Amino acid sequence: MARPGTHSARLRVWLLLVAVGLTVEPVCGVWPLPQSIHQSPDRYSLSPQLFSFTYGKDSAAQTGCSVLDAAFNRYFSIIFPDFTKGPENELRYWSESIPFVVSVSVKSRGCDGYPDEDSDESYKLSVADGQAVLRSATVWGSLRGLESFSQLVYQDDYGSYFLNKTEIVDFPRFAFRGLLLDTSRHYLPLHAILKTLDAMAYSKFNVFHWHIVDDPSFPYQSRTFPDLSKKGAFHPFTHIYTQSDVMRVIEHARMRGIRVVPEFDSPGHTQSWGKGQPDLLTPCYKGDVPSGSFGPVDPTVDTTYTFMERLLKEVKYVFPDSYVHLGGDEVSFSCWQSNPNVRKFMGKMGFGKDFTKLESFYMESIMNMTAALNKTSIVWQDVFDYRERIPQDTVLEIWKGKGYQAELSRMTKAGHRVLLSAPWYINHISYGQDWRISYAVQPQNFSGTEEQKKLVIGGEVAMWGEYVDATNLSPRLWPRACAAAERLWSDEEKTLNADLAFPRLEEFRCELLRRGILAEPLYVGHCKHEYNGL
Amino acid sequence: MARPGTHSARLRVWLLLVAVGLTVEPVCGVWPLPQSIHQSPDRYSLSPQLFSFTYGKDSAAQTGCSVLDAAFNRYFSIIFPDFTKGPENELRYWSESIPFVVSVSVKSRGCDGYPDEDSDESYKLSVADGQAVLRSATVWGSLRGLESFSQLVYQDDYGSYFLNKTEIVDFPRFAFRGLLLDTSRHYLPLHAILKTLDAMAYSKFNVFHWHIVDDPSFPYQSRTFPDLSKKGAFHPFTHIYTQSDVMRVIEHARMRGIRVVPEFDSPGHTQSWGKGQPDLLTPCYKGDVPSGSFGPVDPTVDTTYTFMERLLKEVKYVFPDSYVHLGGDEVSFSCWQSNPNVRKFMGKMGFGKDFTKLESFYMESIMNMTAALNKTSIVWQDVFDYRERIPQDTVLEIWKGKGYQAELSRMTKAGHRVLLSAPWYINHISYGQDWRISYAVQPQNFSGTEEQKKLVIGGEVAMWGEYVDATNLSPRLWPRACAAAERLWSDEEKTLNADLAFPRLEEFRCELLRRGILAEPLYVGHCKHEYNGL
């Protein structure tokens, strides 16, 4: 079992790596693995009393920078969790310790903005005697560097803090490293979402894909259409996200360099929408009469587009990210087919009996609306599968497990940017170490040119909610999602061996526990700081 | 989705049952389903202020009965969780409400004893206007009846408490309804064990099979051999069960009518024992020299038996239950085979090269020791598979999934009492509603006489610890373990249809949440009282 955070564990891992002949450097516990890291056995002791974060003299960001000021406080508590508990050990190290300063320098300020698709997350971290220097182009890069720094610190068996002389040059392999939560099949309380954002930052995820509404419930409290949640949520008060809740999520995410991309999936997956928005969904027919049940959004009436435009305008206003996910997956055609008005419309439009054309017609309208609002659309692969010619800057997301490599080829050949999620549907659980399956994924391993490979902008871990709510979310996500996090951040060449990753992931899992994330065990063993079950 | 605890949910379930034509009675939410239950739509309102438990005049147990006094307090808080929170609603119902008294009568007192294999858990419960009468032979039966009673109470949409006119005659199908926790592969903090006992009582489980030690760690702090945990636990202070911890577990279990059967598994699964007890394990050899590693307990030396006898004497003293689990599973013979002393012993005993004989020899000694201590042994099926003639009162437990029906036939034909665990290894998870697999198990569906069927004394849900610790224990156990709980308690004829069970189990799962058990969802939906993620 792992004894994380101790020098002996690090030594063991080091010896292991030496033994398998891959490297002669000590491995660091940083997860995901930095692009380049050099560590030496020289170690420096840290005293909480004499430890500080500071802004470099040449830094564009200085005290008052919201993102970094808060990060300094957060990481101090993460690195020295015991220190904040009481004053009794305040002076313990005083006599024997020397100060340690982490100096953070940022090229451009941008403390009050939001991370976006072009955010530079690279950083350089140099740890030497008495000081560490962290340099980055943006505050988002500093956040990544602070996270790595926090993972370098460890305690020996006497509780003293140390870190080794280290040089890190780091940047993400993919710009888009997402995690999807589904708050429709089960409602997730705000606290569960915020905790997930914390853990995402520890793994350097940078996009929270909020699959906020779907068939079962509509928890988003719209200011324009309050009836949507009033009638479509599981409960109009206890099971909704108010505007203030959404703002809290976005701000919590921003402080951690995480984008919030909401998904308003249509025309399918909209049963709950129909409750608060009459005439939005297609009435299904049994023979010549309405059956009383409803199908996907009705794409044949003007009111649908008026509604969607107003909703998307609100979404643009509420969610600052330049991306919005429009769904477009799994549309069942049987209800459309049963409806005489829809059939008439099909004839008028010359669609024949091809309902994929009707869906494409709808999605194109919605995507154009989104473009007019200056937003980039993400859609599920179905939209591409139905009609290859869609607006060029639309991002396509692959969710079907079968043949996803071929789909990557086709989509990138058509010049589209692509997100890969199919192999990371980690709501699908199985017995044992299934993180290894996620870890083995190679997102650029498909037939295509170098240009095509570059169109893979990243991927997403998906935690769909059929069987998941706040009771089991955290241990199902962590540390299983960490496997994809490393695949999306690190150099694939250096991280394909899951056996080598195992002790580092085990150590990281214990670190997640220590930080209050209910991450489940990878295998038999224990952590120094266990969850106490309360 | 379920809206548990509301009248409309009950009505819906009722209508469903009427629709499928199985019964015209309203279904009760009681899980596991009582042997006989009759409910009428007549309902009575309950006011927390005017509600009380009392002992019947003819009851052998009266105020001062530890088990029932505590149960009255516990169930009051379970039935009226809001009432205990503050005084503001103390008089709300005063004017309009009438008193309700639950009168509990027990034939024989036995308040200070422990439940055992012969405990009568049957009860009769009659709910009428203003009072409920609960009658049972023992306090353990009263506990089961109180649990059922608590599940009859529900709140309407205004928060008022109700229960329907009800007649229940109930008793368990099997006397032994166990749940195994493994505290060796991961340490489970005391609190996680106590919470599990709470949830077990809600599902009417009555045996906690404490697989307390195994290869990875020895957390049991022995008074006779303190080095076992000092050297064999993951940590000698933070990862052990002190004598006081064990007493707390046993008393917490007793108060809920749950037996605690400890397992000290040998001769295999003992790697951790070797650390604190030199010369106990067999030294493995490489050629003519010891390899430095150790195998199973060394069955060829007297010191082994002296040690085991002293340990079992302590176990007898510490654990009041008349059963003790001796393990005996998965013994690897390669180390024994490598050891020249063992080989010599084999020759001397005339065992040839059949190491199953050596294991049988060891187990027989241990079982005889146990019998001499007046304890009943449980052993894993391997012991029977190696040698069919073993002490007749030994209970055999089946853990191998393949062909467990044939094994049931063989064991009962040999006249042994049997426990079935193989199909209930619910540490093995899979995606979706795998509780249905547990629910479909028919423990007496094997070829054999009626006498043979009676030798199946029950079964056990096993939650082995390879991938489980306090971070994920509760949602993996609940509500998945409830499926086996119903199979072990209820009439199989009335409970084989999982689709009919589903809404009742969904409701029960919400009730578990309401009681503070982190039970995961069965499918899309929500509960009135969700876990808030904190």
Side-chain angles (χ1 to χ4, degrees):
Chain A
M1 73 260 61
R3 295 175 198 271
T6 64
H7 193 59
S8 63
R10 272 153 208 280
L11 194 67
R12 194 167 47 83
V13 173
W14 186 6
L15 289 173
L16 174 74
L17 286 182
V18 171
V20 299
L22 269 189
T23 170
V24 289
E25 285 173 13
V27 76
C28 78
V30 181
W31 189 281
L33 190 72
Q35 299 289 341
S36 154
I37 174 162
H38 294 272
Q39 288 195 283
S40 98
D42 301 351
R43 63 176 193 173
Y44 317 119
S45 69
L46 295 183
S47 144
Q49 288 74 19
L50 299 172
F51 179 92
S52 60
F53 291 106
T54 182
Y55 292 94
K57 279 185 187 154
D58 58 342
S59 174
Q62 294 290 341
T63 303
C65 175
S66 61
V67 170
L68 291 183
D69 283 358
F72 292 170
N73 292 345
R74 217 162 54 231
Y75 279 108
F76 186 89
S77 299
I78 283 172
I79 295 170
F80 306 111
D82 304 327
F83 184 67
T84 52
K85 279 184 187 159
E88 78 274 10
N89 52 4
E90 259 176 32
L91 290 172
R92 191 190 295 169
Y93 306 93
W94 187 264
S95 56
E96 45 186 278
S97 297
I98 53 165
F100 194 98
V101 179
V102 180
S103 153
V104 178
S105 290
V106 181
K107 269 215 183 103
S108 57
R109 200 173 177 281
C111 298
D112 303 315
Y114 292 90
D116 63 32
E117 51 180 329
D118 299 320
S119 292
D120 183 339
E121 294 173 288
S122 67
Y123 67 92
K124 288 180 188 175
L125 176 63
S126 174
V127 178
D129 203 1
Q131 71 159 356
V133 177
L134 172 60
R135 295 189 168 278
S136 64
T138 68
V139 291
W140 318 119
S142 301
L143 290 177
R144 305 298 167 244
L146 286 168
E147 176 55 43
S148 295
F149 177 82
S150 75
Q151 293 185 29
L152 294 175
V153 180
Y154 57 94
Q155 286 180 277
D156 70 3
D157 288 342
Y158 299 89
S160 300
Y161 294 96
F162 290 95
L163 86 177
N164 287 50
K165 185 170 164 64
T166 305
E167 295 287 334
I168 294 180
V169 179
D170 203 9
F171 53 87
R173 176 183 178 194
F174 293 108
F176 194 114
R177 304 178 308 281
L179 187 149
L180 177 153
L181 291 184
D182 167 4
T183 56
S184 172
R185 289 179 177 83
H186 287 98
Y187 178 79
L188 294 173
L190 194 62
H191 182 77
I193 296 176
L194 302 182
K195 269 274 184 194
T196 302
L197 290 167
D198 292 349
M200 283 173 66
Y202 302 151
S203 290
K204 299 194 172 75
F205 280 106
N206 69 348
V207 182
F208 169 38
H209 175 169
W210 196 348
H211 188 87
I212 193 167
V213 296
D214 202 305
D215 283 327
S217 75
F218 197 106
Y220 172 73
Q221 188 178 44
S222 162
R223 47 176 90 175
T224 322
F225 302 103
D227 273 357
L228 288 170
S229 62
K230 199 169 168 190
K231 298 182 179 171
F234 285 136
H235 189 281
F237 296 109
T238 61
H239 288 65
I240 62 164
Y241 303 106
T242 64
Q243 290 289 315
S244 136
D245 291 338
V246 172
M247 280 169 61
R248 271 191 71 185
V249 168
I250 292 169
E251 182 62 6
H252 198 89
R254 185 183 84 83
M255 296 303 261
R256 286 153 184 81
I258 297 172
R259 301 160 57 189
V260 178
V261 174
E263 177 178 356
F264 286 83
D265 189 354
S266 72
H269 291 280
T270 47
Q271 287 293 303
S272 68
W273 304 35
K275 294 183 184 166
Q277 187 64 18
D279 304 330
L280 177 66
L281 304 186
T282 310
C284 311
Y285 275 66
K286 234 183 183 168
D288 294 339
V289 286
S291 70
S293 65
F294 294 88
V297 163
D298 187 344
T300 71
V301 292
D302 288 345
T303 48
T304 287
Y305 299 97
T306 320
F307 166 80
M308 285 303 295
E309 193 162 17
R310 291 184 66 196
L311 181 66
L312 287 170
K313 265 190 186 149
E314 172 177 331
V315 168
K316 176 195 166 68
Y317 188 83
V318 173
F319 294 90
D321 199 82
S322 67
Y323 282 36
V324 60
H325 203 304
L326 298 175
D329 59 318
E330 296 187 302
V331 181
S332 157
F333 297 142
S334 58
C335 182
W336 278 349
Q337 207 156 7
S338 77
N339 182 301
N341 297 322
V342 174
R343 287 201 304 266
K344 210 161 85 189
F345 185 82
M346 293 280 289
K348 197 181 92 189
M349 299 297 288
F351 291 164
K353 297 201 162 178
D354 186 354
F355 285 89
T356 68
K357 288 187 174 152
L358 181 58
E359 189 196 340
S360 293
F361 169 81
Y362 170 81
M363 288 306 294
E364 215 169 293
S365 313
I366 304 297
M367 287 188 284
N368 287 337
M369 257 177 222
T370 308
L373 292 167
N374 254 325
K375 289 263 192 182
T376 302
S377 304
I378 312 180
V379 293
W380 295 109
Q381 70 181 96
D382 314 47
V383 179
F384 172 79
D385 295 347
Y386 288 154
R387 177 183 286 200
E388 296 205 3
R389 284 185 315 178
I390 49 180
Q392 197 65 47
D393 76 326
T394 304
V395 176
L396 305 174
E397 181 159 16
I398 298 178
W399 66 271
K400 294 183 183 178
K402 209 176 153 187
Y404 71 79
Q405 287 95 344
E407 185 82 350
L408 279 164
S409 289
R410 280 192 297 273
M411 288 173 166
T412 53
K413 197 167 184 186
H416 285 291
R417 288 176 298 165
V418 182
L419 284 172
L420 184 62
S421 189
W424 290 315
Y425 266 37
I426 68 170
N427 53 306
H428 292 132
I429 51 169
S430 61
Y431 187 62
Q433 294 195 29
D434 56 2
W435 67 273
R436 290 171 185 266
I437 301 167
S438 296
Y439 201 68
V441 174
Q442 296 179 282
Q444 287 169 320
N445 186 13
F446 60 89
S447 83
T449 63
E450 280 311 299
E451 282 312 299
Q452 277 178 261
K453 307 279 165 110
K454 280 182 195 154
L455 288 170
V456 180
I457 61 170
E460 287 197 333
V461 165
M463 183 54 73
W464 294 99
E466 280 86 349
Y467 303 102
V468 175
D469 69 5
T471 61
N472 57 358
L473 175 69
S474 193
R476 285 203 184 193
L477 268 180
W478 313 110
R480 294 168 71 235
C482 303
E486 180 147 298
R487 181 61 53 245
L488 290 167
W489 177 280
S490 308
D491 185 341
E492 195 171 285
E493 294 297 316
K494 295 181 185 168
T495 55
L496 266 181
N497 186 325
D499 291 334
L500 286 180
F502 180 73
R504 202 159 37 85
L505 185 53
E506 231 183 1
E507 193 176 330
F508 183 55
R509 179 256 164 175
C510 286
E511 179 61 22
L512 290 176
L513 263 195
R514 181 173 173 266
R515 297 182 184 195
I517 304 298
L518 284 186
E520 67 180 18
L522 290 167
Y523 196 56
V524 174
H526 78 292
C527 296
K528 231 180 186 176
H529 304 272
E530 302 266 19
Y531 171 58
N532 66 8
L534 283 162
Chain B
M1 74 260 55
R3 294 172 199 272
T6 65
H7 193 59
S8 62
R10 273 153 209 280
L11 194 67
R12 195 168 47 83
V13 173
W14 186 6
L15 289 173
L16 173 74
L17 286 182
V18 171
V20 299
L22 269 189
T23 171
V24 289
E25 283 173 13
V27 76
C28 77
V30 181
W31 189 280
L33 190 73
Q35 299 290 340
S36 153
I37 175 164
H38 293 272
Q39 286 194 284
S40 98
D42 302 350
R43 64 176 193 174
Y44 316 119
S45 70
L46 294 184
S47 144
Q49 288 73 19
L50 299 172
F51 179 92
S52 60
F53 291 106
T54 182
Y55 292 94
K57 279 185 187 155
D58 58 342
S59 174
Q62 294 290 340
T63 303
C65 175
S66 60
V67 170
L68 291 183
D69 283 358
F72 291 170
N73 293 344
R74 217 161 55 231
Y75 279 107
F76 186 89
S77 298
I78 283 173
I79 295 170
F80 306 111
D82 304 327
F83 184 67
T84 51
K85 279 184 187 159
E88 77 273 10
N89 52 4
E90 258 177 33
L91 289 173
R92 191 191 294 170
Y93 307 92
W94 188 264
S95 55
E96 46 186 276
S97 296
I98 52 163
F100 194 98
V101 178
V102 180
S103 152
V104 178
S105 290
V106 181
K107 270 215 184 103
S108 56
R109 200 174 177 280
C111 298
D112 303 314
Y114 292 90
D116 63 31
E117 52 179 328
D118 299 319
S119 293
D120 184 339
E121 294 173 287
S122 67
Y123 67 92
K124 288 181 189 177
L125 176 63
S126 174
V127 178
D129 203 1
Q131 70 159 359
V133 177
L134 171 62
R135 295 190 169 277
S136 65
T138 68
V139 292
W140 319 119
S142 301
L143 290 178
R144 305 298 168 243
L146 287 168
E147 176 55 44
S148 294
F149 177 83
S150 74
Q151 293 185 28
L152 294 176
V153 180
Y154 57 94
Q155 285 179 277
D156 70 3
D157 288 342
Y158 300 89
S160 300
Y161 294 95
F162 291 96
L163 85 177
N164 287 50
K165 186 170 164 63
T166 305
E167 295 287 333
I168 294 179
V169 178
D170 203 9
F171 52 87
R173 177 183 178 193
F174 293 107
F176 194 114
R177 304 178 308 282
L179 186 148
L180 176 152
L181 291 185
D182 167 5
T183 56
S184 172
R185 290 179 177 83
H186 287 97
Y187 178 79
L188 294 173
L190 194 62
H191 183 77
I193 296 176
L194 301 181
K195 268 274 184 194
T196 302
L197 290 167
D198 292 349
M200 283 174 65
Y202 302 151
S203 291
K204 299 193 172 75
F205 280 106
N206 69 348
V207 182
F208 169 38
H209 174 169
W210 196 348
H211 188 85
I212 192 167
V213 296
D214 202 304
D215 283 328
S217 75
F218 197 106
Y220 173 72
Q221 188 178 45
S222 162
R223 48 177 88 175
T224 321
F225 303 102
D227 273 356
L228 288 170
S229 63
K230 200 170 169 191
K231 298 182 179 170
F234 286 136
H235 189 282
F237 294 109
T238 60
H239 288 65
I240 62 163
Y241 304 105
T242 63
Q243 290 289 316
S244 137
D245 291 337
V246 172
M247 280 168 62
R248 270 190 72 184
V249 168
I250 292 169
E251 182 63 5
H252 198 88
R254 184 183 85 84
M255 295 302 261
R256 287 153 184 81
I258 297 172
R259 301 160 56 189
V260 178
V261 174
E263 177 178 355
F264 286 83
D265 189 354
S266 72
H269 290 281
T270 47
Q271 287 293 303
S272 69
W273 304 35
K275 294 184 183 164
Q277 186 64 17
D279 305 329
L280 177 66
L281 303 186
T282 310
C284 312
Y285 276 66
K286 233 182 183 169
D288 293 338
V289 285
S291 70
S293 66
F294 294 87
V297 162
D298 187 344
T300 71
V301 292
D302 288 345
T303 49
T304 288
Y305 299 97
T306 320
F307 166 80
M308 285 302 295
E309 192 162 17
R310 291 184 66 196
L311 181 66
L312 287 170
K313 264 191 188 151
E314 172 177 333
V315 168
K316 176 195 166 71
Y317 188 82
V318 173
F319 294 91
D321 200 83
S322 67
Y323 282 35
V324 60
H325 203 304
L326 299 175
D329 60 318
E330 296 187 302
V331 181
S332 157
F333 297 143
S334 58
C335 182
W336 278 348
Q337 207 155 7
S338 77
N339 182 300
N341 297 323
V342 175
R343 287 199 305 267
K344 208 160 88 189
F345 185 81
M346 293 280 289
K348 197 181 92 188
M349 300 297 287
F351 291 164
K353 296 199 163 179
D354 186 355
F355 284 91
T356 68
K357 288 188 176 151
L358 181 58
E359 189 196 341
S360 293
F361 169 82
Y362 170 81
M363 288 306 294
E364 214 170 293
S365 312
I366 304 296
M367 287 188 284
N368 288 338
M369 258 177 221
T370 308
L373 292 167
N374 253 327
K375 290 262 193 184
T376 302
S377 304
I378 312 180
V379 292
W380 295 109
Q381 71 181 94
D382 314 47
V383 178
F384 173 77
D385 295 347
Y386 288 153
R387 177 183 286 200
E388 296 205 3
R389 284 186 314 180
I390 49 181
Q392 197 65 44
D393 77 327
T394 304
V395 176
L396 305 174
E397 181 159 16
I398 298 178
W399 66 273
K400 295 185 183 177
K402 208 176 153 187
Y404 71 79
Q405 287 95 343
E407 184 82 350
L408 279 164
S409 289
R410 280 192 297 274
M411 288 174 167
T412 54
K413 197 166 183 186
H416 285 292
R417 288 177 298 165
V418 182
L419 285 172
L420 183 61
S421 190
W424 289 315
Y425 266 36
I426 68 170
N427 52 307
H428 292 132
I429 51 169
S430 61
Y431 187 62
Q433 295 194 30
D434 56 2
W435 67 272
R436 289 170 186 266
I437 302 167
S438 296
Y439 201 69
V441 174
Q442 296 179 282
Q444 288 169 319
N445 186 12
F446 59 90
S447 84
T449 63
E450 280 312 297
E451 282 312 299
Q452 277 177 260
K453 308 280 165 111
K454 280 181 196 156
L455 288 170
V456 180
I457 61 170
E460 287 198 334
V461 165
M463 183 54 75
W464 295 98
E466 280 86 349
Y467 303 102
V468 176
D469 69 5
T471 61
N472 57 359
L473 174 68
S474 193
R476 284 203 184 193
L477 267 181
W478 313 109
R480 292 168 71 236
C482 303
E486 179 147 300
R487 182 61 53 246
L488 290 167
W489 178 279
S490 308
D491 185 341
E492 194 171 285
E493 294 296 316
K494 294 181 183 169
T495 54
L496 266 181
N497 186 325
D499 291 334
L500 285 179
F502 179 73
R504 201 160 38 86
L505 184 53
E506 232 183 1
E507 193 176 330
F508 184 54
R509 178 256 165 176
C510 286
E511 180 61 22
L512 290 176
L513 262 195
R514 180 174 173 266
R515 298 182 183 194
I517 304 298
L518 285 186
E520 67 180 18
L522 289 167
Y523 195 55
V524 174
H526 77 291
C527 296
K528 232 180 186 176
H529 304 272
E530 302 267 19
Y531 172 57
N532 65 8
L534 283 163

